[in-house]
């Protein structure tokens, strides 16, 4: 018999693994001859995890899937779909998912759909959407979906090197989840840009235009926010405002970009509805309303003013999610999902 339609599909459980090795950003500043505070205050990072020669994305994924199944006592036969998001190329054809099948084959479960999704950091979210869509669809057979996001982020010597990191995250997907998705309200943005890419298949280093990647990211964030707000208004019959959300989580390659991203959302929210904002916000952000989009991405004064206005809300609604990304560093596909791994010592 087909299972009843699933409601409130989302993340039932998650686990994270990151390597035990890390570099203190303060020590890296000294080693690189960077000015004191550039990586810790300037980029907002504390430590950077890295894989030693006995670890890689496959071993990290095997570990995190095994620990998730054990901790939550999930029978491996109960997994019906396994999706992996990664941009760390191990093989040009054989998927990371196929390595993970070792865990399930032992229990006689080879009937598992899904493959790897690769598109820089977005691959993890694509994998998650694939699993959520499956559970919400007619193809769902009543079993769990499992999503694995894993990457080892390493950069060549230079300004991007302190923004590396490594980790794997596994998420169990099913109905009636404590973190459920409002699938009708997703806003996406995708464009053809050469800001971050890996054209040399023999090298683990990306080619990155750091400044362009920041601007592209903020532009994408703005468009996603606009798309989300339009859908929210259509669906809910009222305007969305930042005060409607309890918490915000961001892709976190380095904490400064998270601070800038939230400040950008505060400015976009102000532009959508200036009349509803308080006097201080009007005074600080009002002078920037005449800037074109392009000018606004380049304006350092706007960046500073919106960070100032955003600070109290950032402390309340964003900062609680920043602990692990600041300690581990960029995890590419796993970066945003590390935000929702709050250590038990920090949980209220
Ligand atoms: C982010 C990146 C461009 C920064 O490299 P950089 O150009 O050498 O760094 P900057 O000179 O801009 O300095 C970084 C920040 O530290 C600040 N800073 C510099 N020295 C400092 C010091 N001694 N104390 C405190 N802050 C300092 C700078 O003012 C700057 O802050 P701001 O952005 O708020 O102005 C680089 O690390 C990179 O390319 N990383 C990878 C990019 C990436 O992950 N992109 C993906 C986006 S989705």
């Amino acid at each position: 018999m087909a299972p009843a339609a699933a409601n409130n599909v989302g993340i039932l459980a998650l686990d994270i693994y990151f390597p035990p090795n890390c570099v203190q950003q303060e020590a890296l500043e000294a080693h690189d001859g960077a000015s004191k505070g550039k990586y810790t205050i300037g980029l907002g990072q504390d430590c950077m995890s890295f894989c030693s020669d006995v670890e890689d994305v496959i071993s990290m994924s095997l570990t995190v899937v095994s620990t998730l199944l054990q901790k939550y006592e999930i029978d491996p036969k109960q997994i019906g779909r396994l999706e992996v998001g990664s941009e760390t190329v191990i093989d040009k054809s054989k998927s990371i998912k196929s390595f993970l099948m070792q865990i399930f084959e032992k229990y006689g479960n080879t009937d598992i759909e899904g493959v790897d999704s690769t598109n820089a950091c977005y691959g993890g979210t694509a994998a998650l959407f694939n699993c959520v869509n499956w559970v919400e669809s007619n193809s769902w057979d009543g079993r769990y979906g499992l999503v694995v996001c894993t990457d080892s982020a390493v950069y060549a010597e230079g300004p991007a090197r302190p923004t590396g990191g490594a980790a794997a995250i596994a998420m169990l997907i099913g109905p009636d989840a404590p973190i459920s998705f409002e699938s009708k309200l997703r806003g996406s943005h995708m464009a053809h840009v050469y800001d971050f890419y890996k054209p040399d298949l023999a090298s683990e280093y990306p080619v990155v235009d750091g400044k362009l990647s920041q601007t592209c990211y903020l532009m994408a964030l703005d468009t996603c926010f606009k798309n989300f707000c339009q859908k929210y208004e259509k669906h809910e019959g009222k305007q969305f405002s930042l005060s409607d959300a309890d918490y915000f989580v961001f892709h976190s390659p380095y904490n400064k970009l998270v601070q800038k991203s939230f400040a950008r959302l505060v400015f976009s929210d102000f532009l959508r509805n200036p009349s509803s904002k308080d006097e201080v916000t009007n005074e600080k952000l009002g002078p920037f309303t005449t800037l074109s989009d392009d000018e606004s991405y380049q304006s350092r004064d706007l960046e500073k003013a919106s960070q100032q206005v955003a600070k109290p809300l950032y402390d309340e609604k964003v900062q609680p999610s920043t602990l692990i990304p600041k300690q581990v560093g960029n995890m590419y596909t796993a970066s945003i999902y590390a935000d929702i791994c709050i250590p038990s010592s920090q949980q209220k």
Side-chain angles (χ1 to χ4, degrees):
M1 203 172 69
N7 292 314
N8 300 318
V9 177
I11 303 171
L12 293 164
L14 89 171
D15 205 4
I16 182 167
Y17 172 85
F18 46 83
N21 311 302
C22 76
V23 179
Q24 301 273 350
Q25 291 285 3
E26 226 177 320
L28 195 58
E29 280 168 1
H31 176 270
D32 289 351
S35 58
K36 193 168 168 45
K38 180 171 179 187
Y39 302 165
T40 48
I41 300 163
L43 295 175
Q45 291 301 112
D46 296 331
C47 302
M48 179 173 76
S49 287
F50 62 91
C51 289
S52 71
D53 52 0
V54 296
E55 282 193 299
D56 65 5
V57 287
I58 294 171
S59 68
M60 291 194 293
S61 307
L62 284 165
T63 301
V64 80
V65 169
S66 304
T67 55
L68 179 103
L69 297 178
Q70 272 163 23
K71 274 186 198 167
Y72 295 93
E73 298 180 352
I74 304 296
D75 180 348
K77 291 200 280 297
Q78 277 307 307
I79 302 297
R81 191 170 186 112
L82 171 55
E83 296 275 348
V84 178
S86 182
E87 57 160 289
T88 307
V89 180
I90 289 293
D91 187 284
K92 281 192 275 177
S93 174
K94 185 170 160 52
S95 63
I96 295 174
K97 184 232 177 159
S98 66
F99 287 90
L100 294 174
M101 286 308 296
Q102 294 170 92
I103 294 172
F104 302 96
E105 282 167 38
K106 277 195 299 214
Y107 293 86
N109 184 9
T110 55
D111 178 16
I112 300 183
E113 293 186 356
V115 283
D116 296 2
S117 294
T118 300
N119 191 97
C121 304
Y122 180 72
T125 297
L128 176 62
F129 285 173
N130 285 345
C131 259
V132 170
N133 290 348
W134 175 68
V135 176
E136 287 178 342
S137 77
N138 282 337
S139 311
W140 186 48
D141 64 4
R143 291 185 294 165
Y144 296 112
L146 186 60
V147 179
V148 176
C149 304
T150 184
D151 275 301
S152 167
V154 277
Y155 291 91
E157 211 169 304
R161 180 162 274 186
T163 61
I169 284 185
M171 295 180 269
L172 191 71
I173 307 300
D176 303 319
I179 300 179
S180 66
F181 288 85
E182 293 164 306
S183 296
K184 297 262 185 296
L185 302 181
R186 292 177 195 160
S188 291
H189 172 80
M190 191 164 281
H192 171 52
V193 189
Y194 279 107
D195 61 322
F196 179 105
Y197 50 113
K198 293 180 178 167
D200 180 357
L201 292 175
S203 166
E204 58 181 344
Y205 299 145
V207 177
V208 57
D209 181 336
K211 300 287 176 206
L212 177 64
S213 77
Q214 278 188 354
T215 309
C216 288
Y217 181 79
L218 295 176
M219 287 166 73
L221 179 69
D222 266 353
T223 316
C224 288
F225 184 57
K226 270 186 206 135
N227 292 340
F228 167 81
C229 288
Q230 274 169 10
K231 290 180 189 181
Y232 181 93
E233 277 155 38
K234 201 169 154 206
H235 205 254
E236 302 290 320
K238 59 176 183 169
Q239 233 194 8
F240 178 81
S241 148
L242 293 192
S243 54
D244 292 323
D246 294 332
Y247 291 100
F248 295 84
V249 291
F250 291 89
H251 173 52
S252 310
Y254 44 95
N255 181 255
K256 181 55 80 62
L257 189 62
V258 177
Q259 296 170 36
K260 289 186 185 193
S261 300
F262 186 63
R264 184 75 204 182
L265 277 195
V266 166
F267 180 59
S268 301
D269 191 51
F270 172 74
L271 287 182
R272 290 174 59 75
N273 199 356
S275 60
S276 71
K277 302 299 177 243
D278 58 75
E279 217 174 286
V280 178
T281 306
N282 274 308
E283 191 186 302
K284 290 224 183 308
L285 298 183
F288 302 101
T289 51
T290 52
L291 295 181
S292 68
D293 279 353
D294 280 351
E295 286 166 341
S296 74
Y297 293 118
Q298 303 311 325
S299 169
R300 298 286 289 173
D301 291 340
L302 168 60
E303 195 175 273
K304 291 270 161 309
S306 46
Q307 275 183 265
Q308 266 177 18
V309 172
K311 178 82 171 66
L313 260 191
Y314 176 93
D315 289 345
E316 182 191 336
K317 298 191 175 191
V318 185
Q319 192 274 337
S321 68
T322 59
L323 178 75
I324 290 182
K326 285 172 82 165
Q327 294 294 321
V328 174
N330 196 355
M331 297 157 255
Y332 290 157
T333 52
S335 276
I336 186 167
Y337 304 105
D339 294 351
I340 50 176
C341 298
I342 312 280
S344 43
S345 60
Q346 307 273 316
Q347 286 171 13
K348 286 186 185 152

